[in-house]
Amino acid sequence: QLGSPTALADAVTEGRLRAAAARGGHTLYVPRGALWGCEDIARMDSAGTLQALKVTMTKAPASFRPQGWLSPRVAAAVASGTRTVLYEGPLRPLCPLVPNNVNTMAAAAVAAPRLGFDGVTACLVADPSVADCHLIDVEVTAVPERGRSLTVTSSRRNPAEPGSVTGSATRHSFWSSVQACTGHGGCVKLC
């Protein structure tokens, strides 16, 4: 089992792990974390009906562990004391900048491999008004049929200690993921 889906944002690592799973007939289990609706996302992706997927994570500025060019943005958000969009764009370049904070987003890219890390849209928001929780909004858009699209939006409010990287419900989610790791052979599977 892979502990952090964010590791798969490195295309070489992802390719090697997927090839090893297929070649050896073993399964690479990837925890879904706080991703709500991952089975539905995966089914839509598999059927070719998933057009877009956006995951917005909102946390208090002190909950982020940024690296690189994102560090000064988080520092500015802390100093301003106001809601700040830190990043919005493809998921892949965000992952190495906050690897401890975007595992839910990475799980979305695993659930939707046709979109993957380059096609899933990530939005990272620092908001001091959410000091005791992490908010995860998932927006799913289907391929249009006759000019209209199915859209689904889910919001998850995960209680969190001030300054913590992970919400309190994540421990239970991870444990249930570990318990689901059996009998799938030769693939990459969210659990």
Side-chain angles (χ1 to χ4, degrees):
Q1 178 174 359
L2 182 67
S4 172
T6 304
L8 298 174
D10 177 61
V12 172
T13 300
E14 180 184 22
R16 286 181 180 162
L17 290 173
R18 284 184 182 278
R23 184 177 52 253
H26 300 287
T27 301
L28 174 61
Y29 290 101
V30 181
R32 73 183 73 200
L35 181 63
W36 196 257
C38 66
E39 289 89 358
D40 295 309
I41 292 167
R43 281 193 287 269
M44 288 177 71
D45 184 78
S46 178
T49 61
L50 180 64
Q51 180 179 11
L53 177 57
K54 180 179 181 180
V55 182
T56 302
M57 296 185 75
T58 304
K59 299 180 181 187
S63 294
F64 293 108
R65 304 296 182 265
Q67 300 175 25
W69 62 262
L70 196 59
S71 291
R73 284 196 184 176
V74 172
V78 169
S80 77
T82 60
R83 183 181 189 278
T84 306
V85 175
L86 300 170
Y87 177 87
E88 186 165 0
L91 175 58
R92 188 178 307 276
L94 179 62
C95 288
L97 299 173
V98 279
N100 297 328
N101 295 110
V102 296
N103 283 310
T104 298
M105 293 176 169
V110 173
R114 290 175 190 234
L115 292 175
F117 285 87
D118 297 308
V120 170
T121 300
C123 183
L124 197 61
V125 180
D127 187 344
S129 75
V130 295
D132 65 347
C133 68
H134 299 162
L135 305 176
I136 301 120
D137 296 308
V138 179
E139 300 171 45
V140 177
T141 305
V143 172
E145 291 183 20
R146 294 185 294 279
R148 299 183 314 174
S149 293
L150 166 75
T151 60
V152 178
T153 303
S154 69
S155 295
R156 178 179 174 147
R157 182 180 203 92
N158 192 358
E161 293 297 318
S164 70
V165 172
T166 304
S168 60
T170 305
R171 176 183 43 155
H172 301 293
S173 175
F174 188 80
W175 178 242
S176 67
S177 291
V178 169
Q179 291 175 316
C181 296
T182 183
H184 296 96
C187 62
V188 175
K189 173 125 178 94
L190 280 167
C191 54

